[in-house]
Amino acid sequence: MGAALAAGALAVGALAMAPAAGAVEPQSATLSFDCGSYGSGTATLTAAQDGTNATIEVSTSAIKAPIDIGAGAVKSTLTLTKNGSGTTDFTGNANPAIPAGGAVSTGPLKGTVASGDSLEGKSLTIVVLGITVTCNGTSAQTPGPFVF
């Protein structure tokens, strides 16, 4: 009886330490972007998942705000290559307030995923104060695509 209880306790402990089902890996990746005359450099993408709902936050020091930008004022679309072909978009306008000269940060951008989806950043389009800026990926996402 004692051995059975000990084995049961070990099994419960192992379950408690197991990673959550459906967790995205990696949770963070970098990607180089070229935004034309608006700047270029590296962006950090941070992903999270809750079932079929997923979010990705984008931050980069390569693109600076020319003036103060209020929270929620940047409309963003992150286009990702899905499963090696085709694309999917993550969208939103939940940016934090960005001071003049501050680094552009946007998200969480929302999208839908299925188990096993492999997504890699391709381009980011932001619209702020009526100006549209398109940033195209110039490198592979590192350490690799997000797998949901």
Side-chain angles (χ1 to χ4, degrees):
M1 174 93 165
L5 285 174
L10 284 174
V12 169
L15 287 174
M17 292 188 298
V24 60
E25 287 295 328
Q27 293 178 337
S28 181
T30 58
L31 178 65
S32 293
F33 279 106
D34 180 1
C35 305
S37 61
Y38 295 99
S40 62
T42 303
T44 299
L45 310 177
T46 305
Q49 179 182 6
D50 182 10
T52 59
N53 297 314
T55 59
I56 298 178
E57 294 192 35
V58 180
S59 62
T60 180
S61 59
I63 306 168
K64 305 287 186 189
I67 61 171
D68 290 344
I69 299 173
V74 179
K75 181 180 177 189
S76 303
T77 302
L78 177 65
T79 301
L80 302 111
T81 301
K82 182 177 181 179
N83 301 325
S85 64
T87 61
T88 189
D89 290 337
F90 277 57
T91 60
N93 63 336
N95 65 285
I98 305 168
V104 171
S105 162
T106 187
L109 306 178
K110 298 177 183 181
T112 304
V113 296
S115 180
D117 276 354
S118 175
L119 305 179
E120 184 167 6
K122 180 177 179 175
S123 67
L124 174 67
T125 301
I126 58 174
V127 179
V128 61
L129 305 172
I131 299 169
T132 301
V133 178
T134 300
C135 303
N136 293 305
T138 58
S139 72
Q141 188 172 299
T142 303
F146 294 117
V147 178
F148 293 87

